[in-house]
Amino acid sequence: MSFVVNESGCKKLSADMLTNLKGISGLINELDDHDGTLKAALGDDYDTIARTVTTMKSELGNAYQELTAIIKDMDEYVVRVQKVREGLN
């Protein structure tokens, strides 16, 4: 039985996922940082948007925790594959 694990691909995927998550987080924080301006500009719509931003921040925190667990699992998997390779050589 033969299988291939693209270790560098796994590491790049992990890095890309974190980069994308940080980018999303930056956008949400930017919205949050302009809170006063948004409040003045949006008037009555502000409360609805503020609740949406709060929900997005919460969901982002959950996504970050899940992504961290996935990356940890991928890293552990790559380490196990490396050990199997060493054992076979």
Side-chain angles (χ1 to χ4, degrees):
M1 184 173 168
S2 171
F3 65 93
V4 176
V5 174
N6 183 340
E7 295 170 35
S8 63
C10 287
K11 290 177 183 178
K12 179 160 179 17
L13 178 61
S14 296
D16 288 348
M17 287 188 294
L18 281 175
T19 297
N20 291 336
L21 193 62
K22 287 177 183 176
I24 293 168
S25 178
L27 292 172
I28 293 169
N29 287 336
E30 190 174 331
L31 284 173
D32 205 27
D33 289 344
H34 292 93
D35 191 58
T37 305
L38 288 173
K39 193 171 197 171
L42 297 171
D44 294 340
D45 293 333
Y46 171 80
D47 290 333
T48 302
I49 293 171
R51 282 193 299 274
T52 301
V53 170
T54 300
T55 300
M56 289 167 59
K57 287 172 98 174
S58 174
E59 290 176 0
L60 184 64
N62 293 338
Y64 182 78
Q65 288 176 343
E66 290 178 23
L67 184 58
T68 302
I70 290 169
I71 291 170
K72 181 178 173 264
D73 290 345
M74 285 174 48
D75 290 344
E76 289 174 3
Y77 178 73
V78 167
V79 168
R80 284 192 302 239
V81 167
Q82 289 171 340
K83 287 181 182 178
V84 168
R85 276 196 187 129
E86 290 170 5
L88 293 174
N89 290 331

